Structure formats: C-alpha cells, structure tokens
Amino acid sequence: MKFQERVPPFNGEIAIQVIEKALGMSINEAFAEFNSVPLASASVAQVHTAKLHTGEEVVVKVLRPNIAPRIASDIGLLYELAKLAERFWADGKRLRGTAIVAEFEKTTLDELDLMREGANAAKLRRNFKDSEILYVPEIHWEFTRKNILVMDRIHGIPVGEIEQLKAAGADFKSLAERGVEIFFTQVFRDNFFHADMHPGNIFVELPDKYIAVDFGIVGSLSTSDQRYLAENFLAF
C-alpha cells in the first residue's frame, strides 16, 4: 500500500501554480474551494479535493512537475540494462528485455497524459451507464488538461481494508460474484478493461457496489486472445 498511495507529496502551492498555468485562471476562479493539502500522492501525480462553483465535490489530479524527463532518464537506463542482459546473459535474448522495456515505456508515457486518462474513464463510464455493480466517476472536461484531471469525488471504502468492510457490513459473497462479472463484461462484452486494478484504485460502496478510479492504464484483446481466454474458462 505504501507504493500505491503513500509516495511523499510535492508542495500544495506548487500544485496550485501548475493548475493556474494550465487553466489560464486563478484557483479561486476555477474552484469555489480547493484544499492545498493532498488527499493522496502516487508516483506520477497527486490528488487534491475541491468544490466547483456549481456545487459538485471533485478531486483534482495533478502531474508531478518535471516528472517526464525523470521518467525518460530512468527508462533510458532500463534500455541499457536490457541490452547488456541480452548481450552477456545466456537467457537474455530469450527473455526479450528491450521489448519488455518498450512496453513499459508505452504504458508509462500514456499515464502522463491525463486527457487520455479522462477519455478512458469516460468510455468506461459509458460502458457501465446506470450499472448497479460498478460506478465510474464523471470527468469535468472544462477543467481537464494534459497535466490536470478533474472528476467527481467518490466516497467508499478501499477494497483492501477488509476489517473495515466487515465492520461496515459489506456483502463479500456479492462482491466476489460482481467482481468476476465486471471483469468478464469488460473483457468479453466491451473489449475495453481497466488494467490497473490494484487495491488502491478500487473502492466499495456498501453493501456490494464497486467504484473504480485511476484509468491511466487500460487494455483490449484481439479476437484470438478473447477466444483463448474463453476456452480456458470453459475448461476450468
């Protein structure tokens, strides 16, 4: 959980400067309320709570300043290590280290574009419109930019907080069934799925409804991959 949501935050005043520059307006023009103390902080961004002038409670996701060149430097180092492994390690070529780093690079760079994340969230929200089993927050596009994402604030219990869920009366049997249904629906009906479903990104609205956040990484499958998965499920 430390890796997922307890990365040290950057200064809230810097976040305000980033927001004001991106939106071309003061923080007070954009929001009726803005909390400069981060709600959560992760490796590439942090989240602040706010309220729009129209009354909606929202969260504001802000990319870390200068994160792109730092990531580029780290990825460059990974490429060099992969090339060395392929050259000097007997199993290096078989493991295809440079191809793995290239896939990691693509995924990571996608996470740095919050407009893309917003589009992913909007598509997933449309796919589960009026769903009783999964809620996806609405994106506020008028305040979303490549380095800022604003969406409805959600209130739920993190799926990893088992004791808290038990104490609050969560329906674990229904949650288990619905978790499988959500996964199958995303993969086989929509062919568009949330691909970063660690406990820091999944919440529960009692007693048995899921809430998803953080849509920087999504996936889809080829028809042959879908068939392969389906055949394996049938075999099980």
Side-chain angles (χ1 to χ4, degrees), residues 16-37:
I16 290 174
Q17 292 171 18
V18 170
I19 294 167
E20 291 182 333
K21 182 178 180 180
L23 296 180
M25 65 179 74
S26 72
I27 200 74
N28 292 328
E29 289 178 283
F31 304 104
E33 298 175 12
F34 183 87
N35 190 345
S36 61
V37 179

Side-chain angles (χ1 to χ4, degrees), residues 17-223:
Q17 292 171 18
V18 170
I19 294 167
E20 291 182 333
K21 182 178 180 180
L23 296 180
M25 65 179 74
S26 72
I27 200 74
N28 292 328
E29 289 178 283
F31 304 104
E33 298 175 12
F34 183 87
N35 190 345
S36 61
V37 179
L39 177 68
S41 181
S43 53
V44 300
Q46 68 186 31
V47 173
H48 294 259
T49 58
K51 180 181 284 188
L52 300 180
H53 288 290
T54 48
E56 296 100 323
E57 289 188 343
V58 296
V59 293
V60 184
K61 184 174 183 178
V62 186
L63 282 187
R64 289 179 175 274
N66 302 315
I67 190 66
R70 292 169 59 187
I71 287 177
S73 176
D74 290 346
I75 289 175
L77 178 59
L78 289 175
Y79 271 120
E80 292 303 316
L81 291 173
K83 290 174 184 176
L84 288 172
E86 290 175 352
R87 182 177 180 183
F88 295 109
W89 183 31
D91 291 325
K93 288 185 178 179
R94 179 176 61 83
L95 294 175
R96 301 174 62 215
T98 52
I100 292 172
V101 175
E103 180 65 22
F104 175 75
E105 179 181 27
K106 179 182 181 303
T107 301
T108 304
L109 294 180
D110 284 349
E111 284 196 89
L112 298 182
D113 185 349
L114 299 188
M115 291 289 286
R116 178 188 293 270
E117 178 177 341
N120 292 338
K123 183 172 182 178
L124 196 62
R125 180 179 170 86
R126 288 194 301 271
N127 290 347
F128 283 85
K129 184 180 179 181
D130 301 323
S131 171
E132 295 296 320
I133 63 177
L134 176 66
Y135 175 76
V136 177
E138 182 176 1
I139 303 299
H140 292 270
W141 288 107
E142 66 272 33
F143 301 110
T144 295
R145 303 290 186 271
K146 189 170 183 177
N147 59 342
I148 300 169
L149 184 143
V150 177
M151 68 179 185
D152 283 346
R153 185 178 182 182
I154 60 99
H155 297 278
I157 299 174
V159 73
E161 299 292 341
I162 304 300
E163 294 305 316
Q164 188 178 349
L165 288 169
K166 285 180 179 178
D171 186 337
F172 286 92
K173 181 177 185 296
S174 180
L175 284 169
E177 293 170 351
R178 288 181 166 192
V180 174
E181 181 181 347
I182 289 167
F183 174 75
F184 282 2
T185 301
Q186 290 183 54
V187 171
F188 293 111
R189 186 194 71 182
D190 304 328
N191 195 21
F192 183 82
F193 54 89
H194 193 308
D196 194 19
M197 293 188 290
H198 64 69
N201 288 341
I202 306 296
F203 296 80
V204 173
E205 179 185 312
L206 297 171
D208 58 358
K209 186 173 184 176
Y210 284 101
I211 306 170
V213 300
D214 197 344
F215 309 95
I217 305 175
V218 296
S220 60
L221 299 176
S222 66
T223 303

